[in-house]
Amino acid sequence: MTTEINGDFSINDNHNKVQAAKPAQASNVNCDKMTLKTSRVNEDKPLLTGTATLYNQNGTLPDTNISSGPMNESLEKNGANGGSASDYNPLLNRQLENPTSNFDTMIHLLKGNIGTGILAMPDAFRNSGWVVGLVCTALLGAVCTHCMHILVRCSHELCVRTQRPSLSFPNVAEMAFEYGPPKLQKYSSAASKFINTFLVMTQLGFCCVYFLFVATNLQEVITHYFSVKMSVQSYLLILLVPMILLNCVKSLKYLTPASFLATILTVIGLGITFFYLLQGLPKTLSVKAFSSWQQLPLYFGTAVYAFEGIGMVLPLENNMKNPESFGGMTGVLNTGMVIVTCLYTSIGFFGYLRYGEAVKLGSITLNLPSEDLLAQSVRAAMAFSIFLSYGLQFYVPIGIVWPALKGYFHSQSSQRNAELSIRVFLVTLTFALAAAIPNLSAIISLVGSFSSSALALIFPPIIELMTFWDHCSGKEFTLMFVKDIIIIIIGFLGFGFGSYASLWNIIEPISS
């Protein structure tokens, strides 16, 4: 409870009493106790602008410290019990009902990064050439992994400053600007909304790709065995009702068996795909080492789309039993991303080498011999796996959109009907977009260039600059600034040229 007594503010809770002068009187307050100086109001904490003195209820100094406010706060030590704001360890203050082990986190990380993007990597190598593809995929994997580390590091730093156990991606962006340069602090709320907008766009883009992937592979199987010739749009329409029913399930608990089955089918499908790719390989001279400057942006979009796990990094790290094992040279993140990068590079290189310029756009499964039952089973298995995975991808946008609209509906029945309507609308929207642009390769590249590059390459270095703008020495900040600016430029180049090339590919499709 907060009360005002003789012009001073007094804040009480079960453990501490905090007395603070009004902002206008801050300069006249002399304290011989532990002092906390702040430059602006932090709405998440009870401390006010000005100088605050911290006491226990008996009038003595506390055994633990309370810290709040922007990064230029200073906490003066007084006695043996003194400490600093950095004493707070967010990793030790997380209360988790069902924390995940290192192995569980690794599996989730692999599942989150290995989807339709990996099957499009041979198409990406066709747009780059095998030499450029090998080098750039390794470099892009390293840069994306580094940006994931940036996000985790900034999250930990901002958790310490705000005394919170964990933060989400949008929260990190908001707090980074909140504690950033004074002239940019007013954009903190806009930064959070910006991240949420791109998360919704990216995930709905993934859903469009998933929709089209299932329809395309289903079309190949049914056409071969039943000689039924229908357009891709017809298969999309057939899938619409099952997709709507699947995504009316509100609890992830009930989708767990579907996710487990999808994982098994994905592993089996990739194993059989590698079996076909490694047979009858020609010499590397049969394919291009470098494709063309015109097609290179399409490679970038597809490759960035494949590294699609930036949005799940913080949720995974926040829910770990041993979160300190997530980072580090041999931590869960590096180990998982090395595996992912090796898989992308392998299937991209061998897929392009095996089929050359004849590689099908969007998915290597479409290149597998249609006369083989095993190959057709791969198409069916991967289609069913991606169908089941659609629900998991859909949970991100509905989790952002619905809470923002929920306040407009007051009764329980209206909220229930409104949420159901929004779910149906968003699924139908992804169907409509997939039907309007039935070009799997172009959609993958467009989503990767426009949305994924912003989340994976542009926002993390900006967040790092905002978080540590006055926390580093001159030389250290210069190196960080140069490094982050280079990553941001790469992200913007891919964003601009990749989006342009993808849109042009939609208008004038490249024939397979």
Side-chain angles (χ1 to χ4, degrees):
M1 178 181 296
T2 304
T3 57
E4 183 174 356
I5 304 175
N6 296 327
D8 292 336
F9 288 91
S10 177
I11 301 169
N12 297 277
D13 59 21
N14 293 332
H15 305 288
N16 302 292
K17 175 181 178 183
V18 180
Q19 294 179 330
K22 282 184 175 180
Q25 300 171 326
S27 59
N28 298 323
V29 177
N30 295 318
C31 301
D32 58 354
K33 301 293 184 180
M34 184 170 60
T35 304
L36 181 64
K37 301 176 182 178
T38 72
S39 60
R40 63 195 297 268
V41 177
N42 185 342
E43 296 177 356
D44 297 319
K45 292 292 172 186
L47 298 179
L48 303 174
T49 303
T51 305
T53 309
L54 282 66
Y55 301 96
N56 284 329
Q57 292 184 356
N58 60 7
T60 62
L61 286 170
D63 292 330
T64 57
N65 303 298
I66 297 177
S67 62
S68 178
M71 62 196 306
N72 59 346
E73 294 175 349
S74 61
L75 194 60
E76 299 176 3
K77 295 182 180 180
N78 186 7
N81 291 329
S84 65
S86 59
D87 288 342
Y88 178 82
N89 188 342
L91 306 185
L92 301 179
N93 287 273
R94 294 175 181 171
Q95 303 296 326
L96 304 173
E97 292 184 3
N98 298 300
T100 54
S101 66
N102 292 354
F103 180 76
D104 293 335
T105 305
M106 176 77 73
I107 295 299
H108 289 311
L109 183 64
L110 294 176
K111 183 66 178 68
N113 280 277
I114 299 175
T116 54
I118 190 172
L119 299 174
M121 285 307 295
D123 180 26
F125 271 62
R126 184 181 65 84
N127 287 318
S128 65
W130 71 270
V131 172
V132 177
L134 286 175
V135 174
C136 288
T137 302
L139 290 176
L140 191 59
V143 173
C144 287
T145 304
H146 176 68
C147 287
M148 293 176 182
H149 279 289
I150 287 177
L151 198 57
V152 174
R153 179 188 175 214
C154 291
S155 174
H156 287 175
E157 174 66 24
L158 293 167
C159 281
V160 171
R161 297 181 198 174
T162 59
Q163 304 286 279
R164 297 183 185 181
S166 63
L167 292 170
S168 66
F169 197 166
N171 292 151
V172 170
E174 182 176 7
M175 289 297 101
F177 276 82
E178 182 79 11
Y179 290 83
K183 291 184 179 181
L184 298 178
Q185 290 172 355
K186 60 184 178 181
Y187 299 111
S188 60
S189 178
S192 175
K193 294 176 182 177
F194 223 64
I195 296 291
N196 274 329
T197 299
F198 271 87
L199 281 172
V200 170
M201 293 170 59
T202 301
Q203 294 301 130
L204 288 179
F206 289 166
C207 290
C208 289
V209 172
Y210 279 33
F211 224 133
L212 193 54
F213 179 91
V214 176
T216 304
N217 281 271
L218 197 61
Q219 181 188 40
E220 288 285 328
V221 175
I222 293 179
T223 300
H224 177 74
Y225 284 107
F226 301 100
S227 300
V228 176
K229 293 185 179 181
M230 293 192 301
S231 64
V232 175
Q233 287 88 345
S234 299
Y235 285 95
L236 288 169
L237 187 60
I238 293 172
L239 290 169
L240 179 58
V241 173
M243 284 289 195
I244 290 176
L245 294 176
L246 176 68
N247 289 280
C248 285
V249 178
K250 298 181 181 181
S251 175
L252 281 175
K253 176 182 178 181
Y254 299 113
L255 287 178
T256 301
S259 179
F260 181 71
L261 178 58
T263 303
I264 294 176
L265 292 175
T266 300
V267 172
I268 294 174
L270 287 177
I272 298 175
T273 300
F274 268 112
F275 169 77
Y276 278 103
L277 296 184
L278 297 178
Q279 295 189 29
L281 289 173
K283 295 182 179 180
T284 53
L285 295 176
S286 64
V287 292
K288 296 178 182 178
F290 173 71
S291 181
S292 69
W293 289 106
Q294 181 183 1
Q295 291 176 249
L296 194 58
L298 296 175
Y299 159 81
F300 178 86
T302 304
V304 174
Y305 171 91
F307 289 98
E308 60 190 62
I310 185 73
M312 64 182 299
V313 168
L314 289 182
L316 287 178
E317 194 269 348
N318 290 340
N319 200 56
M320 287 185 69
K321 181 179 181 181
N322 300 305
E324 64 277 1
S325 301
F326 191 73
M329 287 296 296
T330 58
V332 173
L333 179 57
N334 278 355
T335 304
M337 292 308 296
V338 165
I339 295 173
V340 168
T341 303
C342 289
L343 283 174
Y344 288 169
T345 305
S346 299
I347 201 166
F349 173 74
F350 288 114
Y352 178 50
L353 182 61
R354 176 70 175 81
Y355 296 106
E357 296 301 310
V359 68
K360 292 293 181 70
L361 305 183
S363 176
I364 192 60
T365 58
L366 302 176
N367 273 103
L368 303 183
S370 57
E371 64 275 5
D372 288 4
L373 177 62
L374 187 61
Q376 293 290 1
S377 68
V378 170
R379 293 193 183 101
M382 293 302 294
F384 190 55
S385 170
I386 297 302
F387 171 79
L388 296 176
S389 300
Y390 182 103
L392 296 176
Q393 297 291 347
F394 186 78
Y395 254 80
V396 175
I398 195 65
I400 296 173
V401 172
W402 171 237
L405 300 176
K406 187 177 181 179
Y408 293 99
F409 306 93
H410 305 293
S411 67
Q412 196 170 21
S413 60
S414 64
Q415 287 184 354
R416 183 171 58 252
N417 294 331
E419 182 180 1
L420 182 61
S421 299
I422 291 171
R423 286 176 176 272
V424 173
F425 170 76
L426 290 179
V427 174
T428 306
L429 176 63
T430 62
F431 155 78
L433 292 174
I437 313 172
N439 185 335
L440 185 58
S441 174
I443 291 183
I444 288 176
S445 184
L446 180 61
V447 173
S449 298
F450 187 80
S451 299
S452 297
S453 62
L455 290 175
L457 298 176
I458 297 176
F459 290 135
I462 291 176
I463 289 173
E464 184 176 42
L465 291 174
M466 294 297 102
T467 303
F468 298 101
W469 72 282
D470 69 346
H471 242 53
C472 303
S473 63
K475 183 178 180 181
E476 183 183 1
F477 180 81
T478 300
L479 292 175
M480 182 182 71
F481 181 83
V482 171
K483 179 260 299 181
D484 286 341
I485 291 299
I486 291 174
I487 296 175
I488 292 171
I489 291 174
I490 292 173
F492 270 110
L493 288 175
F495 177 89
F497 287 108
S499 298
Y500 172 80
S502 301
L503 288 172
W504 187 255
N505 190 22
I506 291 173
I507 299 172
E508 296 287 341
I510 299 175
S511 59
S512 59

